[in-house]
Amino acid sequence: MARNTSRALSIAASVAAIGLLAPTATAYAGHRAFTPGLPGAGDRYFPDMGNGGYDAQHYSLGLKYDPGTKAIDATAKITARATQNLSRFDFDFLGPLKISKLTVDGRKASYTRTGAQELVITPDRGVPQGRVFTVDVAYSGVPKSINDPALGLSGWIATHDGAVALSQPFGSATWYPVNDTTHDKATYDFTVTVPNGLKVLANGVPAGERTQGANTTFRWVDRQPTASELVLMAIGHFDVRDTRTATGLRNITAVDPASVPAGDKTAADDFNKATADVIDWEQKLYGRFPFSATGGISVLAPDVGYSLETQTRPVYARRTAGALPSATLLSHELGHQWFGDEVTPYVWQHIWLNEGFATYSEWLYSEQHGGETAQQHFDEAYKSSSTDWSGKVADPGRDHIFDDLVYTRAAMTLHQLRRAIGDTAFFALVKAWPAQHRYGNDTTAEFTAFAQRYTHKDLRPLFQAWLYTAGKPAL
């Protein structure tokens, strides 16, 4: 995500609700004990997020959007594998959307909605550990975005002519039932029906569109594992370009005409080319692009005003019409495709591994394209009175995951690492790290241990000063 903004959700942790759902063993055939999955995934910043007892494998999302009422009529088919003998399990699902039907493996299941965001599902029989099962949910209504005092706006956000889903850190549950934790990635497909004239973009690649009467249905397929906070949905009157970069990577970009100055006839082509140029440059730095396609979306969303690294194609949300995203901003959000998307923090405490690398991508772009060097950026930040030295980069706190601390100081940490190990080792390391953790999750401890093994250097004093200690480190 690009800096200089905040956003998110009101998600009060409900200890009382969790207490009401305390596991109670149930006996089923074969005398196996079946117990409830936990209503949380162990992230102490967001204890209500995610759920235990299963591993989501695939989400098949279908929806019909009505621009007049802003309502959706939707279905979600979730394929998951039980990681314990399950008597019941939860999804995250919040807001006013009403469920009309819910089945597990085709059989009607009972459900309740409780706590901050728990959809508690009890199938008519236990699900044995290791079994793959499917949950089908039909629901409808007008999705509501979430505005958190510390983290800002996220979730399903209405725009002037449609909607855009910007879900970091926890907004996906505003528009579909989900195991909303960074460490339960899954693949996706999307089938979205809208009135003719509107277009739909999502993660991955298009899988066809069909017009019938007054409506058009768009299909998208996302074949690489995706964290829920990176799931994309955008509906609007977009000007779309579908091309290839110089390295042959598919590049699908879209420009909302209302997001650029009136009369700008080249915006869609310019945006597409700029995206291609930056992504091909970053492939030289970080290795082969990890997904089936790249791209980006420029959209007018007056209540948003930030950019987000939604997987395969970031969203650049504009408060008012203006110039297209700069190459520097593109380098930040596209850099996230390796750092944050391909490799994703296990819990939100480790978000500096997203934002530090993305910010350092900006510094490297400047350095390699005639601007200030990374050292000059470092020196300016070190001297600046606005640089945040107040917290610990490796544990910024729930309300500070989008603060300057995890952007600028984290980038400074990477620059200190580069100085300590030299350019050859550093640029080899930033290729090796995502390649060896492809589609997985990471923690600060894993990264620091990896850096030490990779370079055969004792880097503990550097990391202690820059990641684990509050205050301005001495040089």
Side-chain angles (χ1 to χ4, degrees):
M1 181 188 94
R3 187 155 53 94
N4 299 328
T5 186
S6 61
R7 39 199 229 303
L9 136 93
S10 59
I11 174 180
S14 178
V15 175
I18 293 175
L20 290 173
L21 301 176
T24 302
T26 305
Y28 288 92
H31 304 289
R32 287 181 292 194
F34 286 75
T35 55
L38 291 173
D43 190 331
R44 60 186 174 86
Y45 285 10
F46 303 102
D48 288 322
M49 285 182 66
N51 304 282
Y54 64 91
D55 174 23
Q57 311 273 296
H58 183 78
Y59 293 85
S60 183
L61 304 180
L63 64 88
K64 184 175 183 180
Y65 172 74
D66 184 340
T69 63
K70 306 293 186 182
I72 62 172
D73 189 7
T75 59
K77 178 185 284 291
I78 303 119
T79 304
R81 181 181 58 83
T83 57
Q84 67 181 67
N85 292 328
L86 279 173
S87 62
R88 69 170 181 245
F89 53 90
D90 293 17
F91 286 111
D92 300 296
F93 196 46
L94 52 84
L97 299 176
K98 294 184 178 180
I99 295 172
S100 56
K101 184 179 180 181
L102 193 153
T103 62
V104 177
D105 287 335
R107 296 185 295 271
K108 186 176 180 180
S110 61
Y111 63 89
T112 59
R113 298 180 72 174
T114 187
Q117 59 190 63
E118 302 302 322
L119 169 59
V120 186
I121 299 170
T122 304
D124 68 348
R125 64 189 68 180
V127 182
Q129 181 177 355
R131 176 169 292 177
V132 174
F133 62 99
T134 59
V135 181
D136 287 271
V137 187
Y139 57 98
S140 61
V142 180
K144 300 298 183 183
S145 58
I146 306 159
N147 205 346
D148 182 90
L151 302 176
L153 190 70
S154 69
W156 182 277
I157 299 167
T159 61
H160 64 101
D161 63 348
V164 62
L166 301 173
S167 295
Q168 195 182 83
F170 37 36
S172 286
T174 63
W175 63 284
Y176 69 99
V178 57
N179 193 22
D180 199 7
T181 174
T182 53
H183 57 263
D184 192 6
K185 296 184 178 185
T187 54
Y188 282 78
D189 68 74
F190 310 85
T191 302
V192 184
T193 300
V194 295
N196 295 339
L198 288 173
K199 295 181 180 178
V200 176
L201 293 104
N203 307 91
V205 294
E209 60 183 79
R210 177 173 57 88
T211 298
Q212 187 171 9
N215 296 308
T216 301
T217 299
F218 294 81
R219 291 198 69 244
W220 289 79
V221 176
D222 182 15
R223 297 184 178 92
Q224 285 84 38
T226 304
S228 53
E229 45 105 2
L230 301 170
V231 172
L232 165 66
M233 178 61 60
I235 300 170
H237 292 96
F238 293 108
D239 192 355
V240 179
R241 296 292 183 271
D242 186 348
T243 65
R244 298 275 175 175
T245 74
T247 59
L249 179 65
R250 193 168 183 180
N251 178 30
I252 303 171
T253 57
V255 172
D256 173 2
S259 71
V260 297
D264 187 341
K265 303 298 185 184
T266 65
D269 292 323
D270 293 345
F271 182 45
N272 185 266
K273 183 180 186 305
T275 298
D277 290 345
V278 170
I279 206 71
D280 280 348
W281 168 75
E282 287 186 327
Q283 288 193 90
K284 296 176 184 176
L285 283 181
Y286 304 137
R288 179 179 63 84
F289 190 71
F291 305 117
S292 54
T294 189
I297 302 171
S298 174
V299 60
L300 181 67
D303 296 328
V304 181
Y306 62 80
S307 300
L308 184 63
E309 62 271 19
T310 40
Q311 189 159 301
T312 60
R313 56 190 52 81
V315 173
Y316 307 88
R318 315 299 302 278
R319 293 189 185 279
T320 59
L324 289 166
S326 67
T328 300
L329 179 55
L330 292 173
S331 70
H332 182 110
E333 299 304 338
L334 293 170
H336 271 306
Q337 302 301 304
W338 287 266
F339 306 102
D341 294 16
E342 180 182 18
V343 187
T344 308
Y346 188 79
V347 291
W348 285 101
Q349 173 186 341
H350 309 293
I351 189 175
W352 80 271
L353 287 162
N354 292 14
E355 301 302 347
F357 274 103
T359 303
Y360 203 64
S361 296
E362 297 181 44
W363 294 8
L364 291 174
Y365 187 89
S366 172
E367 179 175 278
Q368 296 186 17
H369 291 83
E372 290 186 335
T373 65
Q375 183 64 53
Q376 288 173 314
H377 282 285
F378 178 96
D379 292 341
E380 290 172 2
Y382 193 79
K383 295 174 184 176
S384 174
S385 60
S386 63
T387 299
D388 183 359
W389 305 106
S390 62
K392 299 176 182 179
V393 174
D395 193 2
R398 184 262 190 205
D399 290 349
H400 304 287
I401 60 172
F402 301 133
D403 285 5
D404 178 71
L405 177 72
V406 297
Y407 290 76
T408 302
R409 185 171 171 184
M412 296 174 78
T413 302
L414 294 173
H415 189 68
Q416 288 296 86
L417 174 62
R418 176 184 173 186
R419 292 182 63 187
I421 66 178
D423 277 12
T424 299
F426 178 80
F427 286 107
L429 184 149
V430 298
K431 278 187 178 179
W433 170 251
Q436 293 189 27
H437 295 76
R438 178 157 292 164
Y439 309 132
N441 295 92
D442 56 8
T443 67
T444 301
E446 287 173 331
F447 176 76
T448 57
F450 177 86
Q452 294 205 136
R453 289 195 308 270
Y454 195 83
T455 61
H456 306 289
K457 288 181 177 290
D458 183 5
L459 301 167
R460 287 174 295 179
L462 185 156
F463 291 132
Q464 183 63 39
W466 284 88
L467 295 176
Y468 294 106
T469 306
K472 187 174 183 177
L475 296 181

